[in-house]
Amino acid sequence: MTEMPYTIRFAPKIANQLRKLPIKQRRLVLRFAEALAINPRPPGASRIEGMTGLYLEALESLNLNLIYKIEEQTVLLLFMR
């Protein structure tokens, strides 16, 4: 099993959004979150200029954008659109 050096947390807003997604999409977002626990700066992730530690990842297959913040050993998922 792969070691996960980062802890993943979900902001309340994104947790509510996840509950409303169809199960297939929800599983894909959760799988992406697990991948962030291993590598929070994957290829394709963009830093949001002027905001310390904020990143934007486009999940094109789901037509979603995720904004997350890296704080020490925690990745906080903030917003999904």
Side-chain angles (χ1 to χ4, degrees):
M1 185 168 182
T2 305
E3 182 181 330
M4 294 186 186
Y6 290 84
T7 302
I8 300 296
R9 291 187 21 228
F10 293 88
K13 181 172 180 122
I14 200 167
N16 288 334
Q17 290 175 317
L18 271 174
R19 284 187 207 101
K20 294 175 184 176
L21 285 177
I23 190 75
K24 186 176 179 181
Q25 287 184 328
R26 188 179 326 150
R27 284 183 183 147
L28 290 172
V29 171
L30 293 174
R31 200 170 298 140
F32 175 74
E34 288 175 0
L36 288 177
I38 297 165
N39 178 11
R41 296 171 188 89
S46 303
R47 265 189 167 196
I48 298 176
E49 295 296 321
M51 304 297 288
T52 304
L54 281 181
Y55 289 82
L56 170 68
E57 177 71 34
L59 302 177
E60 293 176 8
S61 63
L62 299 175
N63 199 26
L64 292 173
N65 290 319
L66 294 177
I67 296 176
Y68 61 95
K69 182 170 181 138
I70 302 170
E71 298 175 329
E72 296 179 18
Q73 293 305 114
T74 301
V75 176
L76 176 61
L77 291 162
L78 297 168
F79 185 76
M80 177 173 61
R81 182 176 186 134

